[in-house]
Amino acid sequence: AQSVTQPDIHITVSEGASLELRCNYSYGATPYLFWYVQSPGQGLQLLLKYFSGDTLVQGIKGFEAEFKRSQSSFNLRKPSVHWSDAAEYFCAALTGGGNKLTFGTGTQLKVEL
Amino acid sequence: GAGVSQSPSNKVTEKGKDVELRCDPISGHTALYWYRQSLGQGLEFLIYFQGNSAPDKSGLPSDRFSAERTGGSVSTLTIQRTQQEDSAVYLCASSVNRGRGNTIYFGEGSWLTVV
């Protein structure tokens, strides 16, 4: 079955440290891929998306993600984390002929000061 | 409006009662989605509307759940005879047209608690 996997449920990093959140997908063709962030009590905010072309995509708030077809991965990175980045991060893929966003289970990021 | 608007933002209801959740998509967006976010369950697709086409209802968990979209804009998600397991955040989203190649924008959700 087509799916999106986020292997890490919780991640803790120190402020100023680099961050990488993992995402793997399982689809026959290259899906359209997204990263969303959800702060407590808030909705989902789009960080970045990959449709085609350059495999390194830049997003808001200093985030970037790299699509690697050989690894079926779309990992999210940030060189230096800020305390305000503490939130839950969701990787998602557009499937079902474009009707449905399938989400990973999310990674909860904690930032230590 | 500037973003996807949902109401109520919070709803507490007694088990067995019906509830209605409302979504106002971004103006001009023809595609509208409902998702459910439950503790420990992640984000589940519920239903998708695209223009005047028949909705994709494949994600609705039971026949107690229904949704409609009037005039191609506002949508209402109705849950009949609510159960405690219906407690969740119900997220609405919209996009310009058919999802592929377009960004899907989410509202802040309606938090439903069934007691």
Side-chain angles (χ1 to χ4, degrees), chain B:
Chain B
V4 178
S5 177
Q6 292 188 245
S7 62
S9 54
N10 284 283
K11 174 74 176 179
V12 179
T13 190
E14 293 181 354
K15 178 181 173 181
K17 295 287 179 76
D18 297 350
V19 296
E20 287 188 349
L21 307 176
R22 175 187 168 104
C23 173
D24 279 281
I26 294 172
S27 178
H29 282 194
T30 58
L32 186 146
Y33 309 75
W34 283 99
Y35 282 79
R36 179 170 70 175
Q37 186 175 24
S38 307
L39 192 62
Q41 296 293 321
L43 285 144
E44 302 172 76
F45 167 81
L46 296 178
I47 188 169
Y48 163 76
F49 296 90
Q50 172 56 49
N52 295 320
S53 301
D56 177 353
K57 304 179 182 180
S58 60
L60 293 178
S62 77
D63 59 8
R64 296 187 296 105
F65 288 73
S66 63
E68 62 178 20
R69 189 178 185 191
T70 53
S73 180
V74 172
S75 177
T76 302
L77 177 69
T78 301
I79 309 173
Q80 296 178 309
R81 305 181 302 282
T82 52
Q83 303 295 313
Q84 287 184 331
E85 61 263 28
D86 300 333
S87 296
V89 180
Y90 290 84
L91 292 165
C92 179
S94 71
S95 67
V96 172
N97 55 29
R98 196 171 183 85
R100 207 157 184 80
N102 286 290
T103 301
I104 300 173
Y105 296 92
F106 284 82
E108 295 196 349
S110 290
W111 293 69
L112 175 66
T113 304
V114 181
V115 298

Side-chain angles (χ1 to χ4, degrees), chain A residues 18-92:
Chain A
S18 63
L19 171 70
E20 183 168 25
L21 302 182
R22 296 183 290 166
C23 173
N24 294 95
Y25 65 90
S26 173
Y27 293 96
T30 301
Y32 291 175
L33 298 162
F34 304 80
W35 275 98
Y36 285 87
V37 60
Q38 186 178 37
S39 298
Q42 303 294 313
L44 292 164
Q45 181 182 23
L46 179 71
L47 286 175
L48 47 79
K49 59 189 177 185
Y50 172 76
F51 291 158
S52 65
D54 193 346
T55 56
L56 184 64
V57 293
Q58 302 297 320
I60 63 171
K61 303 184 178 184
F63 286 92
E64 66 178 26
E66 186 171 11
F67 171 68
K68 292 185 178 180
R69 185 188 303 275
S70 61
Q71 298 176 18
S72 298
S73 69
F74 187 58
N75 294 350
L76 182 71
R77 302 194 294 247
K78 187 169 183 177
S80 178
V81 170
H82 188 263
W83 64 267
S84 60
D85 293 325
E88 188 154 23
Y89 291 80
F90 292 92
C91 182

